[in-house]
Amino acid sequence: MTSAESPRRDVRLRTAVIALAVDLAMIVLFAAMGRASHDEGSAVGGTLLVAAPFLIGYVVAAAVTRLDRTPLSIARAALTWFPAIVLGMLLRRFVFDRGTAVAFVIVAFVTTGVLIVGWRCLVALIRASRTA
């Protein structure tokens, strides 16, 4: 490896780690918003318990889709998000023994999609405006 490749690899790794952290934060935000909308309080432990199946599903899906290769890609994020939420729902129902009512499934897909894909769209818009 040349010395010029090392800084690029460091930037790619840093970008992947930051993107993963933002995605996981978006899932926790989704859980916190849901708890707040149902007056379940804002306790960190309860929020993380609600988020846990989706966090697990997301990490698995991100590894399978290799989101780390292009962490800011809107298409790859969408490709990761959908199976992540499907897996999260399966875990929520069969491992965490929590409900998966149709309304919840719809809200979960829409909200997490907007959050996970949405922040990348904002980044793309900002980048485009800087190069214009």
Side-chain angles (χ1 to χ4, degrees):
M1 172 182 358
T2 67
S3 60
E5 291 173 346
S6 182
R8 276 189 284 229
R9 190 158 80 163
D10 290 347
V11 169
R12 280 195 312 263
L13 177 61
R14 190 171 343 124
T15 301
V17 169
I18 291 169
L20 177 63
V22 172
D23 287 341
L24 297 179
M26 292 296 127
I27 292 169
V28 172
L29 175 62
F30 155 71
M33 291 185 322
R35 285 177 53 83
S37 73
H38 295 287
D39 294 324
E40 293 180 0
S42 62
V44 174
T47 299
L48 292 177
L49 186 61
V50 170
F54 302 103
L55 293 170
I56 294 166
Y58 195 81
V59 169
V60 170
V64 169
T65 62
R66 298 301 310 260
L67 184 59
D68 60 306
R69 291 184 178 176
T70 53
L72 298 180
S73 165
I74 294 166
R76 192 167 294 219
L79 181 68
T80 301
W81 151 78
F82 189 82
I85 302 308
V86 169
L87 181 56
M89 285 296 171
L90 291 171
L91 289 169
R92 178 179 167 88
R93 175 68 179 98
F94 296 109
V95 175
F96 288 78
D97 199 27
R98 301 290 307 260
T100 52
V102 173
F104 174 71
V105 172
I106 293 168
V107 168
F109 271 100
V110 171
T111 305
T112 57
V114 167
L115 292 171
I116 290 169
V117 176
W119 75 261
R120 285 175 174 84
C121 292
L122 289 175
V123 168
L125 285 172
I126 291 167
R127 284 180 158 187
S129 70
R130 287 184 178 172
T131 59

